[in-house]
Amino acid sequence: MRERLHKVLAHAGVASRRAAERMIRDHRVRVNGAVVVELGTQVDPARDRIEVDGRPVPRGETAHQYLALNKPLGVVSTAHDPEGRRTVVELVHATRRLYPVGRLDIDSEGLVLLTDDGELTFRLTHARFGIEKEYHVVVTCSEELDEPLLERLRRGVMLEDGPARAVRASIVRQSAHGGGLMRVVLVEGRQRQVRRMLAALGCTVERLQRVRIGPLLLGDLDLGEHRSLRPREVEALRAAVGLEP
């Protein structure tokens, strides 16, 4: 099946679609030995020989598929939604059945990992393995956003389903009227946990974006875009939970 070249490069994990377009404009990409000069060029990734800076882009299937998605608002983190809402699976071009790893609620955005690697999924989502999830959170607070409030977040707050704490929390930027931009790191993944923890401290979340899952970073992936993980990223994720490469 033929696809636009910049999409093929993004799906192969070479770069985001925007960065792949820049590579094409800079004449860094060859298809079957010829330099590509048009952004709309279509290729067959299973048949055509694609090179970037002289290095071949891998072809063929791996044992599992791993995709990183920058989830937009209004999309649910599930493979199927009985209410008919758009799902993260519908946003990606998967060659097999994939499932999202962990939760990211419909009102949040940012990094979602999708894969068919069941053992990796289990270990990334189980608190016993201590995999960090990092969030950038814009808040408005009834009290001043300061170090004492962060310390309460680190010590833990009581929620309706038990105590919860941030392993790290810091202020990136304060606003003039209370609140600001925070960095919050958790090792749990309970439903709407960041929002509920901050609500317990008198803060309302205005925007929540996940930027990291363990060693995997969101990076410059555009909102709504996805890409295949690079081999070294898959190896780093598996190593983080004690699995062989």
Side-chain angles (χ1 to χ4, degrees):
M1 188 174 81
R2 301 186 70 79
E3 298 181 70
R4 289 181 179 268
L5 177 57
H6 70 283
K7 291 176 62 177
V8 171
L9 293 175
H11 295 168
V14 174
S16 67
R17 290 193 192 184
R18 184 173 296 177
E21 289 177 348
R22 289 196 297 268
M23 290 176 173
I24 295 170
R25 284 196 294 267
D26 293 340
H27 298 169
R28 295 170 56 190
V29 183
R30 291 176 178 266
V31 175
N32 299 325
V35 175
V36 178
V37 296
E38 295 184 6
L39 288 180
T41 297
Q42 294 200 342
V43 297
D44 184 340
R47 295 176 178 271
D48 292 326
R49 188 177 77 257
I50 304 169
E51 299 170 285
V52 176
D53 296 333
R55 293 189 294 272
V57 175
R59 289 184 289 185
E61 295 288 343
T62 59
H64 295 289
Q65 190 170 13
Y66 307 86
L67 300 179
L69 167 71
N70 188 352
K71 186 188 90 68
L73 300 176
V75 177
V76 293
S77 296
T78 183
H80 173 72
D81 182 59
E83 298 180 31
R85 296 171 295 184
R86 199 174 191 191
T87 72
V88 290
V89 172
E90 294 171 14
L91 296 182
V92 303
H93 302 288
T95 58
R96 59 187 79 181
R97 181 173 293 181
L98 301 183
Y99 299 92
V101 178
R103 299 184 179 97
L104 191 61
D105 67 69
I106 193 170
D107 299 320
S108 301
E109 59 190 88
L111 180 62
V112 172
L113 172 64
L114 298 104
T115 184
D116 56 351
D117 188 337
E119 182 61 25
L120 178 65
T121 297
F122 170 76
R123 296 189 180 209
L124 287 175
T125 53
H126 199 295
R128 173 163 62 92
F129 292 93
I131 297 302
E132 295 183 349
K133 290 86 174 176
E134 181 176 339
Y135 303 86
H136 288 176
V137 193
V138 177
V139 295
T140 301
C141 299
S142 57
E143 303 177 18
E144 184 179 358
L145 179 59
D146 55 12
E147 183 58 32
L149 187 145
L150 294 181
E151 184 57 31
R152 291 166 61 192
L153 199 60
R154 299 184 199 107
R155 286 201 310 266
V157 297
M158 182 58 68
L159 304 178
E160 60 271 23
D161 53 354
R165 60 180 290 270
V167 296
R168 281 194 297 283
S170 59
I171 300 170
V172 178
R173 183 177 62 252
Q174 288 181 302
S175 63
H177 305 291
L181 174 61
M182 304 176 61
R183 173 178 168 266
V184 178
V185 180
L186 305 180
V187 293
E188 295 181 289
R190 285 185 260 168
Q191 190 171 20
R192 301 178 72 86
Q193 183 174 345
V194 175
R195 295 177 184 274
R196 292 189 292 137
M197 291 172 65
L198 288 167
L201 299 177
C203 296
T204 300
V205 172
E206 307 293 345
R207 182 188 182 197
L208 191 152
Q209 179 190 42
R210 184 160 62 197
V211 297
R212 180 171 64 88
I213 300 173
L216 181 64
L217 302 176
L218 176 63
D220 64 354
L221 193 61
D222 290 335
L223 196 63
E225 294 292 305
H226 70 280
R227 65 172 179 83
S228 294
L229 267 60
R230 301 171 181 87
R232 65 177 181 272
E233 292 175 318
V234 176
E235 291 179 6
L237 281 171
R238 292 179 64 85
V241 295
L243 292 173
E244 293 293 327

